[in-house]
Amino acid sequence: MDADPDLFKAIGDATRRTILDELTDKDGQTLFEICGRLTMKHGLASSRQAISQHLAVLEQAGLVRTRRQGRYKFHHIDTSPLRSIVERWPIDREEPNP
Amino acid sequence: MIRVNITSVFVDDQAKALAFYTEKLGFIKKTDEPAGGARWLTVVSPADPDGVELLLEPDGHPAAGPFKQALVADGIPFTQFAVDDVFAEVERLKGLGVEFTQDATDLGPVVTAVFDDTCGNLIQLATMK
């Protein structure tokens, strides 16, 4: 039984990984800014509706949280669900350089 | 030869809009005539006083409100203005209390930012490189 199907589905898509990259670059973006960055910086010609659906998948996995401020809606990255990956498959401490 | 002579933004209050667009953004008033209960109210850029006029159009039509609200909710600026330096303009406008939903952002061929015009619209600033 896999405990994190939403998480692995969410990070299994290149566009969604790029969205997370851009939110890492600057946290707290409107849908418009995310679409602009994907188009202008990455040449991704997805529709606004498609990006909105990608954001919904990321939100379902807990990797993106939305915040309403007045009439605006901002998207924030939350990397904490990724911790379950290294808890499941611990990363060995790096060998010290000889 | 066809050309653009006027473009418009839907504003919730023409007097408030005129103050914001002239005092903060730096446009100058071009035309102000009574027109059926509202005003035919346009502003122009001091850099191009005979150029494209911006009409501050009342948003009283029932479709205008939901249209504007839906755009703002997704952060979409329906109108774009050019400036020489987005970074400097953002600092200047923030100093005047203007609220931004997107700070100056380098997108490769263009630098953009998005602010709230206080009349129900988001406006994009752009500097082409």
Side-chain angles (χ1 to χ4, degrees):
Chain A
M1 182 64 191
D2 199 325
D4 307 305
D6 289 344
L7 176 65
F8 292 109
K9 181 190 173 203
I11 59 177
D13 178 89
T15 299
R16 290 196 285 272
R17 292 194 296 273
T18 305
I19 291 171
L20 295 177
D21 289 341
E22 289 302 321
L23 287 174
T24 302
D25 182 57
K26 202 206 87 183
D27 197 24
Q29 296 182 36
T30 62
L31 175 60
F32 175 79
E33 180 173 0
I34 293 168
C35 291
R37 284 169 173 255
L38 293 178
T39 305
M40 302 293 289
K41 293 178 68 179
H42 301 279
L44 292 171
S46 302
S47 68
R48 185 172 285 122
Q49 289 77 7
I51 301 304
S52 197
Q53 284 169 10
H54 281 310
L55 284 166
V57 173
L58 289 167
E59 191 170 3
Q60 177 71 29
L63 291 165
V64 164
R65 297 186 187 282
T66 58
R67 172 176 61 91
R68 287 197 177 273
Q69 178 183 321
R71 298 176 300 127
Y72 329 124
K73 182 179 173 186
F74 295 100
H75 300 78
H76 294 264
I77 189 168
D78 182 350
T79 54
S80 59
L82 298 175
R83 189 170 294 118
S84 68
I85 296 176
V86 289
E87 284 169 354
R88 182 169 171 177
W89 298 294
I91 299 170
D92 289 338
R93 189 167 295 171
E94 280 185 39
E95 296 286 333
N97 287 328
Chain B
M1 182 80 80
I2 197 164
R3 61 192 173 84
V4 177
N5 66 331
I6 198 160
T7 186
S8 56
V9 286
F10 278 125
V11 300
D12 56 6
D13 179 312
Q14 285 188 301
K16 181 180 71 175
L18 181 63
F20 183 87
Y21 276 79
T22 55
E23 293 164 16
K24 300 213 167 172
L25 299 188
F27 287 100
I28 50 179
K29 187 165 80 171
K30 172 106 178 193
T31 313
D32 188 358
E33 303 285 345
R39 296 151 75 182
W40 182 263
L41 181 61
T42 73
V43 296
V44 289
S45 167
D48 192 10
D50 296 319
V52 177
E53 294 177 50
L54 180 68
L55 176 67
L56 304 177
E57 170 90 6
D59 66 1
H61 189 281
F67 167 75
K68 291 169 71 179
Q69 287 157 22
L71 293 181
V72 170
D74 282 338
I76 299 169
F78 194 64
T79 300
Q80 182 188 83
F81 300 141
V83 291
D84 293 335
D85 179 347
V86 170
F87 290 97
E89 193 65 18
V90 168
E91 287 310 305
R92 185 186 78 81
L93 291 174
K94 278 187 175 177
L96 295 172
V98 175
E99 189 172 4
F100 280 78
T101 62
Q102 181 202 310
D103 263 322
T105 304
D106 191 330
L107 295 176
V110 64
V111 180
T112 67
V114 178
F115 67 86
D116 188 326
D117 78 347
T118 71
C119 304
N121 307 289
L122 297 178
I123 307 283
Q124 185 169 58
L125 295 177
T127 299
M128 299 302 293
K129 289 192 196 163

